[in-house]
Amino acid sequence: EEEEERGREMEEHHKESFGAEYALLKVPYELLWTCLRNEPRLFEREMQSVQTVGKKLVRTLRSGKKPNRKRMQKALLDIVKQIDGLTKKISDAYERESHHLLRCERRIELLRVVDSSDVRSAIRRRDSEALTRWAVQRIDRQVANFLFRQNQVALAQSLSTLRELDDYVDAKVFLDGEKVVRSLRNRNVAVPLGWCSVNRSRLRKSNSPLEFLLRLQDFLELSRCGKTEEAVAYARKHLVAFSSQHMSVIQRAIASLAFCRTGSTHCVGSSHLPPSNSCDPYEDLYHQRRWDELEETFLQALNDVTCFPKVPMLYTCMGGGLVSMRTRQCDDGDTRQADCSVCFPTVSKLAQILPYAHHTNSTIVCHITGEAIDDYNYPMVLPNGRVYGKNAMEKMAKENNNQIKCPRTGETFMVSQLRKAHLIT
């Protein structure tokens, strides 16, 4: 009965793990949806342009006037070029949509294989070999996605190619995001605004202020360069649309124009401010840290639009595993175990912010070997009061001519000085 209960618990845990794979299915679906939504609009504009030129030619022919042969030939050649270009765009769009659809199918198939009856029965039997490939690939995917999010693109791509993860890692999303981040670091908002144009509906749905902040920054850079008239025209064209939500910020930005020095040479990228007084109340609008804030806002918007979790899944899974193993002994240098994952120095630093595991039953382990102390490996006490397992003491005595050296204090004792300890439970 205990084995059956344990099997049911493992199966339940396996089902819950599918919740962590939400982004695996959602990201390619969102990319496919974006293509299906945006590309037909572009094709409609191209078709309207072709139709406009065609109608003009028809009107010319029906007018009864003798048409200019060269102009007619040029117009027809332009129509043919436009149609060829439209055909190429439609073909490319079809390939992109097919690519996203194929990725969705393969990811669904991946989860379907893991959720098959054979695997479920393997879980009940606690047969870890049946899930080894899935677990290894899942870790590889999480590491690759983590590397992409840390801007380690070359390393992430190498791992994806080596492990054949191209269909399960969303490299294009991260590469597009890297272009936007690079543009922001170069103090340019053109590429980020293009990204916002493609994902405008998703940004509105998530109430992201990214596009407004980019437009505001563009306005402020015009003001920084002393281009007051261009800044006012820019505000009328682009900032008015956001007045219902950000009126106070827009008013404050417009008011800052009154403090700008006409013809200032402090343009984009300069650390100097246009206001005449460094203590001016508008100084924060022109501070360079606003670019760093824009980068953070974009990364948050990227996660919202693509449905990526805000915290990498590698962190989540590692945190869950460390919490289940961490004890107070892991923080004490004298009680750390060699085979304990949490006791490893690098991992121990990561686990410091995590809570301790709750154990209803404690297990005593040998400090030297990490083996459990039980009836077959009973505890042995040294004269200095230190306790170790019998197996470790016998092995050490055999290797050191019946002498025992305490690994904590460095004291040496003879085997005859050991005493067996008895645990009372």
Side-chain angles (χ1 to χ4, degrees):
E1 293 180 358
E2 293 181 359
E3 289 294 327
E4 292 179 359
E5 181 65 23
R6 175 62 176 169
R8 285 193 293 269
E9 291 178 359
M10 291 184 65
E11 183 176 3
E12 188 65 25
H13 173 72
H14 178 63
K15 290 179 180 179
E16 292 177 357
S17 67
F18 278 92
E21 302 298 341
Y22 177 76
L24 182 69
L25 295 178
K26 188 66 174 177
V27 173
Y29 168 78
E30 290 295 334
L31 294 175
L32 176 61
W33 185 89
T34 301
C35 289
L36 294 175
R37 184 179 183 277
N38 294 335
E39 289 172 347
R41 298 179 181 179
L42 300 177
F43 300 153
E44 288 177 4
R45 294 197 203 105
E46 295 282 348
M47 285 300 299
Q48 288 176 358
S49 176
V50 173
Q51 289 174 356
T52 301
V53 176
K55 290 178 180 179
K56 186 177 180 180
L57 289 176
V58 171
R59 285 196 300 268
T60 302
L61 294 174
R62 289 179 178 178
S63 63
K65 299 179 181 180
K66 185 177 181 180
N68 188 306
R69 184 174 181 180
K70 291 184 178 179
R71 290 182 180 178
M72 293 291 291
Q73 288 179 343
K74 184 177 182 304
L76 290 173
L77 288 175
D78 290 341
I79 291 177
V80 171
K81 289 181 180 180
Q82 288 181 340
I83 293 176
D84 290 340
L86 181 60
T87 303
K88 180 68 167 57
K89 291 179 180 179
I90 293 175
S91 177
D92 294 341
Y94 175 77
E95 291 181 2
R96 285 193 296 270
E97 293 168 6
S98 300
H99 175 67
H100 293 318
L101 185 59
L102 180 61
R103 285 157 58 87
C104 289
E105 291 176 352
R106 289 182 176 176
R107 296 185 184 199
I108 292 173
E109 187 62 28
L110 176 66
L111 296 180
R112 185 178 296 161
V113 169
V114 177
D115 197 37
S116 64
S117 58
D118 294 339
V119 175
R120 288 200 300 269
S121 62
I123 295 173
R124 294 192 185 96
R125 297 193 308 269
R126 302 174 66 178
D127 185 2
S128 60
E129 184 177 355
L131 295 175
T132 298
R133 282 189 301 234
W134 159 260
V136 171
Q137 188 197 57
R138 187 183 186 187
I139 293 174
D140 289 339
R141 284 191 285 111
Q142 292 175 355
V143 171
N145 282 324
F146 174 78
L147 291 174
F148 274 120
R149 294 180 74 149
Q150 297 300 313
N151 205 27
Q152 301 292 331
V153 178
L155 187 58
Q157 289 178 325
S158 299
L159 177 61
S160 300
T161 303
L162 179 64
R163 299 293 190 178
E164 299 180 351
L165 301 174
D166 293 337
D167 290 328
Y168 309 106
V169 176
D170 302 287
K172 186 179 184 303
V173 175
F174 295 108
L175 293 175
D176 292 343
E178 183 194 16
K179 294 178 182 177
V180 175
V181 171
R182 192 186 308 119
S183 177
L184 290 173
R185 291 177 179 175
N186 292 331
R187 306 301 191 252
N188 190 316
V189 298
V191 175
L193 285 173
W195 185 88
C196 289
S197 177
V198 174
N199 300 280
R200 182 169 288 118
S201 62
R202 291 294 180 185
L203 291 173
R204 289 176 179 173
K205 186 177 180 180
S206 61
N207 296 320
S208 174
L210 177 62
E211 186 173 4
F212 166 71
L213 294 177
L214 290 171
R215 293 293 184 187
L216 179 64
Q217 190 64 35
D218 212 7
F219 166 84
L220 294 174
E221 295 303 329
L222 291 173
S223 174
R224 189 195 301 276
C225 294
K227 301 177 181 179
T228 306
E229 294 182 1
E230 294 183 24
V232 172
Y234 186 91
R236 289 174 176 172
K237 182 177 180 180
H238 297 291
L239 295 184
V240 172
F242 302 97
S243 59
S244 60
Q245 293 180 323
H246 306 282
M247 176 58 79
S248 60
V249 180
I250 295 174
Q251 289 176 338
R252 191 161 175 262
I254 296 295
S256 71
L257 291 174
F259 296 88
C260 292
R261 292 192 290 267
T262 305
S264 173
T265 58
H266 304 305
C267 295
V268 178
S270 173
S271 61
H272 300 284
L273 303 175
S276 57
N277 191 340
S278 60
C279 297
D280 194 276
Y282 304 104
E283 181 181 0
D284 61 300
L285 290 175
Y286 296 89
H287 202 286
Q288 292 300 307
R289 67 170 175 267
R290 289 183 60 86
W291 289 102
D292 298 331
E293 294 172 357
L294 276 175
E295 183 177 335
E296 294 177 2
T297 304
F298 164 72
L299 293 177
Q300 181 179 355
L302 177 64
N303 292 335
D304 293 338
V305 168
T306 56
C307 298
F308 275 115
K310 295 181 180 180
V311 178
M313 282 307 303
L314 185 63
Y315 284 173
T316 304
C317 294
M318 285 184 63
L322 293 176
V323 165
S324 65
M325 296 184 293
R326 187 181 182 219
T327 63
R328 297 187 183 277
Q329 286 70 27
C330 296
D331 297 336
D332 188 349
D334 293 334
T335 57
R336 288 180 178 176
Q337 300 297 321
D339 61 342
C340 175
S341 300
V342 187
C343 292
F344 191 74
T346 305
V347 179
S348 179
K349 293 180 180 179
L350 298 176
Q352 287 179 355
I353 62 174
L354 300 175
Y356 294 107
H358 175 69
H359 295 282
T360 55
N361 296 315
S362 298
T363 301
I364 303 175
V365 296
C366 176
H367 178 76
I368 299 176
T369 64
E371 298 176 353
I373 300 295
D374 53 25
D375 294 339
Y376 302 98
N377 185 31
Y378 47 80
M380 302 294 291
V381 184
L382 294 177
N384 61 1
R386 301 292 183 174
V387 181
Y388 302 100
K390 177 183 73 73
N391 295 342
M393 295 293 95
E394 290 180 349
K395 182 179 179 181
M396 187 179 296
K398 185 177 181 181
E399 294 175 352
N400 296 283
N401 195 22
N402 290 331
Q403 290 184 343
I404 304 296
K405 184 177 180 179
C406 181
R408 297 179 180 177
T409 65
E411 299 175 86
T412 304
F413 306 97
M414 299 301 295
V415 175
S416 59
Q417 294 179 274
L418 296 177
R419 294 292 182 267
K420 181 180 178 180
H422 298 275
L423 302 178
I424 300 176
T425 59

